[in-house]
Amino acid sequence: MSRLFRVGLILLILGSCGTRDGSAPRDLDNACSILEERPHYTRAFRAAERDWGVDTHVLMAMIYQESKFISDNRPPHVYALGVIPTGRQSSALGYSQALDGTWAEYERDRGGRGARRTDIRDAADFMGWYMTATVEETGVPLDDTRNQYLAYHEGRTGFNRGSYRGKSWLMRIADEVDQRAVLYEAQLRNCRAYR
């Protein structure tokens, strides 16, 4: 085997390793394409469905909104005087954009000290755990994507207080998340990668 061929093969292997989780899938508007490109997502979503009863299309729509499927996504920096970085808007991180405190609560409850917000399986499990608690505390069904998203964004206490009602931008986004879940559900019906 020629040296040039071996170098090319090594670069190809290393290149494919780098795109597994960090960057977003190519076609975010097609659920089947996402799962074909990232088969490990299917396993993560199936596990969350089995453990929590949350449908894949609901999880996918919420992850799309929270992180666009970028594993290490973070909120932007805040700048003092427009140029001096003073930190981030929040501690949100990963696929689910879980905050530090909520993630710590999840780890205590699930006994998962090794769980990572940048791992799709852990993020899907976290979202299933959170959404199931939302059902218990608010009565919002797991398949009510719009209100589950509002409770996810505002927190269950904020949702119960109705804090979202004064935020027309958030209501619009919740409607978009709901519409995306409907789109993803239709696409998954005929998806080989999801069977």
Side-chain angles (χ1 to χ4, degrees), residues 4-170:
L4 183 60
F5 179 75
R6 280 184 272 172
V7 169
L9 184 62
I10 290 171
L11 289 175
L12 180 67
I13 291 169
L14 290 175
S16 68
C17 291
T19 61
R20 177 172 172 173
D21 282 302
S23 63
R26 285 185 290 277
D27 186 359
L28 294 176
D29 292 326
N30 187 316
C32 192
S33 174
I34 292 169
L35 298 181
E36 285 172 352
E37 185 178 335
R38 311 277 170 93
H40 61 290
Y41 284 12
T42 302
R43 292 186 294 277
F45 297 140
R46 289 283 191 201
E49 269 188 299
R50 185 178 53 252
D51 295 345
W52 302 108
V54 180
D55 292 326
T56 293
H57 62 276
V58 174
L59 286 170
M60 290 182 75
M62 289 180 61
I63 289 173
Y64 170 87
Q65 182 57 44
E66 291 298 296
S67 66
K68 303 295 186 277
F69 292 93
I70 298 170
S71 67
D72 58 354
N73 200 6
R74 290 180 177 269
H77 283 281
V78 177
Y79 294 89
L81 304 172
V83 293
I84 303 167
T86 59
R88 297 193 182 271
Q89 292 175 344
S90 76
S91 63
L93 171 65
Y95 290 108
S96 62
Q97 289 295 282
L99 300 172
D100 288 350
T102 313
W103 189 262
E105 181 185 343
Y106 162 74
E107 287 182 316
R108 281 190 305 274
D109 193 50
R110 295 285 287 162
R113 292 273 180 221
R116 296 184 336 261
R117 291 179 273 183
T118 57
D119 182 291
I120 191 66
R121 188 172 180 114
D122 294 334
D125 189 68
F126 166 81
M127 291 180 91
W129 167 83
Y130 191 91
M131 292 170 72
T132 300
T134 297
V135 173
E136 294 167 8
E137 290 184 34
T138 68
V140 174
L142 288 174
D143 62 353
D144 182 349
T145 308
R146 180 182 185 278
N147 286 310
Q148 277 284 348
Y149 180 73
L150 288 170
Y152 192 81
H153 187 276
E154 295 294 281
R156 293 182 290 267
T157 303
F159 178 83
N160 283 332
R161 278 194 314 246
S163 62
Y164 57 90
R165 288 188 188 110
K167 301 175 182 176
S168 58
W169 61 270
L170 179 57

